[in-house]
Amino acid sequence: MAEELIKPWDLDGTLDDDSYVPSYIEEMAKNVMTHYDLTVRSYVVMATKADKGGLIWKIETDKGPFSLKVLHRRPTRSLFSLGAQAYLVEEKKARVPPIYKTKTGEDFVEAGGKLWFVAEWIALEEASADLEGAKKLCGGLGEFHRLSKGYEPPYGAEKPSRLYRWPRKYEKMIKKMSWFRDLTTAYSEMPASSIILSVVDKFEQQAIQALEQLNESRYSELIKKGDKEWGLVHQDYGWANGQLGPGGVWLIDLDGVAYDLPIRDLRKLITNQMEELGKWDVEWIKGMIEAYHETNPIDEDLYHLLLIDMSLPNEFYLQVKDMVYEPTSFLDEEVKMTVEHIIALEETKWPVLKELQEWKGAITS
């Protein structure tokens, strides 16, 4: 039975039911809650990662509402993120939900090969889906990055760091471009193959140029400051995980935090929003960068890296990289339409990057 419990989820054909929780997981949750001085009156499933084994409930108790969460990563990896959450709240007074301790003063309970924890339930709402909302999110992100500096993980935790891996990421992207070329050539009859093949050379060259610029930048000097001095990135930040609550923007779902240069989070937020808009909008980007800069100043070297990371064909790579697993089912009409959208988006990107290059003094001065 112990082996069964550390599997992700046994969904029993209920893949379309996002709120489904197997009975053995429900029983495990009840057992976990016996470690807390809380009487649970109800459990409501708020989100699941059914393919990985992650889950969060809102629980109503005799002491008010809390969240109960099972983390889907390895316990040693989860220990890093829980340590970060405790550090941010206890040492830095950050707007991150406080962890509610067990009867014995622990931050978590280990059960079924995973870490479970309880946190205070904070009443939150999403920021508006406009530029003003985006600015609020960027300001909250900058504050999080600034406050996360100095974090040292607890004994026994992994130390996930992406700080030193930027060149490797760029090289991986370049390498996979040749895989995309080979696969779409081999499966030329598939609906998405011809359009991917028509642009892969261009995107490959963009990645090569970005790597060259990275190697010529001050990246190697910046990372010498080390993990603790740079602090943490969220890695999955956006309207869902940065929400408005008491005092400002609160960050939730810190499961994936890792050490890195902070502008990686900012770049992801900006490029994801440009995709949502359907075009690159320089006024949006300037507003987002300025809002971030107010809470966590960006110097010229970091700003240069932000522009380099934006110049990568990030959206194209993200959307087509899974073709390597099952190209015959992946390269369908839907992917074709997605790539068409990305190509149109790219046409608006480069004039904006040029303007941002000329504008950098407004941020770094």
Side-chain angles (χ1 to χ4, degrees):
M1 184 64 174
E3 259 185 34
E4 181 183 8
L5 293 184
I6 64 172
K7 291 180 182 179
W9 301 119
D10 179 11
L11 292 175
D12 292 330
T14 59
L15 284 169
D16 293 332
D17 185 356
D18 292 338
S19 64
Y20 171 77
V21 178
S23 58
Y24 73 88
I25 297 294
E26 292 177 341
E27 287 303 313
M28 199 182 306
K30 293 176 183 177
N31 289 333
V32 165
M33 290 310 301
T34 65
H35 293 266
Y36 294 88
D37 60 347
L38 295 170
T39 300
V40 182
R41 295 167 177 161
S42 66
Y43 295 81
V44 178
V45 175
M46 303 303 292
T48 66
K49 290 186 177 179
D51 58 332
K52 297 179 180 179
L55 176 64
I56 182 169
W57 289 269
K58 180 181 181 181
I59 56 174
E60 295 291 344
T61 79
D62 58 329
K63 295 182 180 178
F66 292 85
S67 64
L68 169 62
K69 189 167 187 175
V70 53
L71 300 173
H72 69 273
R73 291 178 169 82
R74 295 181 301 275
T76 49
R77 178 64 175 87
S78 295
L79 186 58
F80 179 89
S81 62
L82 287 173
Q85 190 158 342
Y87 171 79
L88 285 160
V89 173
E90 297 168 11
E91 301 294 330
K92 297 302 187 77
K93 311 304 179 188
R95 283 187 291 272
V96 172
I99 295 172
Y100 189 82
K101 295 186 182 295
T102 68
K103 294 174 182 177
T104 56
E106 302 296 328
D107 285 339
F108 61 88
V109 173
E110 185 165 358
K114 301 178 186 295
L115 300 191
W116 303 57
F117 75 102
V118 171
E120 293 184 19
W121 186 268
I122 311 296
L124 301 174
E125 63 179 5
E126 287 193 11
S128 56
D130 54 19
L131 180 53
E132 289 308 308
K135 288 178 179 179
K136 289 177 181 177
L137 258 65
C138 289
L141 181 63
E143 182 179 64
F144 168 80
H145 287 155
R146 189 186 75 249
L147 295 177
S148 73
K149 295 177 182 179
Y151 170 58
E152 180 69 36
Y155 177 79
E158 295 179 30
K159 290 185 69 174
S161 178
R162 297 177 177 271
L163 185 64
Y164 310 97
R165 293 169 55 183
W166 283 49
R168 193 186 317 168
K169 181 209 169 185
Y170 286 40
E171 290 163 359
K172 179 180 178 181
M173 186 180 291
I174 294 167
K175 182 177 181 179
K176 286 196 173 181
M177 291 295 178
S178 64
W179 296 7
F180 303 157
R181 184 184 298 107
D182 292 343
L183 284 168
T184 50
T185 300
Y187 297 95
S188 59
E189 74 283 0
M190 298 301 296
S193 290
S194 61
I195 192 165
I196 292 174
L197 193 58
S198 72
V199 294
V200 70
D201 288 353
K202 178 178 72 172
F203 288 136
E204 181 182 52
Q205 189 57 39
Q206 288 177 7
I208 291 170
Q209 290 174 351
L211 177 60
E212 291 172 351
Q213 291 173 356
L214 181 68
N215 290 333
E216 294 168 359
S217 73
R218 289 185 52 79
Y219 165 77
S220 60
E221 294 298 315
L222 293 175
I223 62 175
K224 289 179 181 178
K225 292 173 64 175
D227 291 325
K228 286 175 59 178
E229 289 301 309
W230 282 113
L232 303 170
V233 293
H234 186 283
Q235 294 206 93
D236 189 26
Y237 186 74
W239 268 255
N241 293 331
Q243 296 199 15
L244 304 182
V249 176
W250 288 69
L251 271 75
I252 58 176
D253 290 345
L254 304 184
D255 313 8
V257 293
Y259 293 119
D260 201 351
L261 295 174
I263 47 91
R264 175 60 61 77
D265 267 347
L266 182 59
R267 193 277 298 165
K268 288 181 180 180
L269 186 61
I270 290 172
T271 53
N272 287 346
Q273 185 55 32
M274 295 306 100
E275 187 171 1
E276 285 292 319
L277 293 175
K279 65 175 183 177
W280 281 62
D281 187 307
V282 71
E283 297 307 317
W284 266 75
I285 297 175
K286 286 180 179 179
M288 293 173 75
I289 293 173
E290 285 174 331
Y292 180 95
H293 182 68
E294 288 179 5
T295 57
N296 193 36
I298 305 172
D299 65 19
E300 186 171 355
D301 293 330
L302 271 184
Y303 186 76
H304 186 207
L305 288 182
L306 175 62
L307 296 183
I308 292 172
D309 213 43
M310 284 185 185
S311 73
L312 280 173
N314 293 293
E315 294 74 25
F316 174 76
Y317 179 77
L318 182 65
Q319 294 297 332
V320 306
K321 63 185 177 67
D322 287 343
M323 78 165 74
V324 300
Y325 300 111
E326 293 185 25
T328 54
S329 59
F330 181 86
L331 295 166
D332 58 13
E333 285 287 347
E334 183 177 353
V335 170
K336 178 183 176 182
M337 293 175 61
T338 299
V339 174
E340 288 173 345
H341 169 74
I342 291 171
I343 292 171
L345 190 65
E346 278 286 310
E347 293 299 316
T348 68
K349 171 179 172 177
W350 295 99
V352 168
L353 286 184
K354 182 179 179 182
E355 185 169 344
L356 291 173
Q357 179 67 38
E358 297 169 352
W359 174 75
K360 66 181 181 180
I363 286 297
T364 60
S365 60

